[in-house]
Amino acid sequence: MTDRTAGDMHGSAAKAADGAEELRDQIERTRGELGDTVAELMEKADLKGRAMARAADLKDKAGAMTVQLRSSAAQAGHAMQDKATRAGHVVQDRATKAGHTVQDRATRAGHTVQDKAAEAGHAAEHGAPGPLGTVVRAGLRHPRPVLVAGAAVGALVAASVLRRRRGGRRR
C-alpha cells in the first residue's frame, strides 16, 4: 500500500502544482481584465478629456466648413463679376449703336436743312428785293457760317425728334 500511497501522493502533488499554476494564470487574466475595465471606466469618467476631444472635433468641422463657404463665396463672386462684365459690354454696345444712329440722323437732318437753306437762298437771291438779296448773296459767297448755322439747326431738330420718340415709349 505504501507504493500506492506514494504514487497517489506524487500524483496529488502534481495535480496540486498544476492547479496552482492554473490558478495563477486565472489570477493574471483576471488582473488584466480588471485593469482594462478600470481603464475604460476612467476614460468614461474623464468628462473634461471627452469634452476637449469633442470640442477639437467640432473645431475641425467648423474650420472645414469655413474653407468650403469661402470657396463657394469666391465662386459666386466670380460668377457675378462675369455676368456684370457681360451686361456692361451689352450696354456699351447698345449705347454705341444708339450714338451712331443719333449721329447719322443729325447728319442727315443737317444736310436736309443745308439743302433747303441753299434752295431758299437761291430763291431769295433771285426773288428778294435789294437789301435782302445782298445778304443772301453774301451768304453764298461765304457759306461756312451758313453751314454751321444749318448744322446747329439740324442737330436741334434731330434732338427734338428723338425726345418726342423717347417720350412716347415711356410708361
Side-chain angles (χ1 to χ4, degrees):
M1 240 190 187
T2 12
D3 285 337
R4 217 174 188 200
T5 311
D8 285 340
M9 285 187 2
H10 182 37
S12 294
K15 283 183 186 177
D18 287 343
E21 187 64 33
E22 189 176 319
L23 187 58
R24 281 189 202 111
D25 289 343
Q26 278 184 343
I27 289 172
E28 276 304 309
R29 280 194 304 268
T30 303
R31 280 184 183 158
E33 290 172 6
L34 184 60
D36 292 344
T37 303
V38 168
E40 287 175 20
L41 286 173
M42 286 179 64
E43 189 177 310
K44 287 182 181 179
D46 184 16
L47 296 179
K48 183 179 178 182
R50 286 174 49 198
M52 289 175 71
R54 178 73 175 143
D57 287 346
L58 291 174
K59 185 177 178 183
D60 290 345
K61 285 181 183 178
M65 288 179 90
T66 300
V67 168
Q68 186 178 6
L69 288 173
R70 283 183 180 164
S71 174
S72 296
Q75 288 175 350
H78 290 303
M80 291 306 292
Q81 186 177 15
D82 290 345
K83 286 181 181 181
T85 299
R86 278 186 255 132
H89 287 268
V90 168
V91 169
Q92 186 177 13
D93 291 345
R94 288 181 182 170
T96 300
K97 287 177 185 176
H100 288 297
T101 301
V102 168
Q103 186 178 12
D104 291 344
R105 288 180 182 172
T107 301
R108 276 186 261 137
H111 287 299
T112 302
V113 168
Q114 184 180 5
D115 292 344
K116 289 189 179 189
E119 288 174 20
H122 289 296
E125 180 182 16
H126 296 299
L132 186 59
T134 306
V135 171
V136 171
R137 280 188 292 279
L140 289 173
R141 278 192 309 268
H142 303 288
R144 216 178 247 162
V146 174
L147 291 176
V148 170
V153 169
L156 290 172
V157 169
S160 174
V161 168
L162 287 175
R163 276 195 201 117
R164 280 192 215 133
R165 286 187 181 172
R166 271 196 231 133
R169 289 184 192 162
R170 290 185 182 163
R171 295 179 195 168

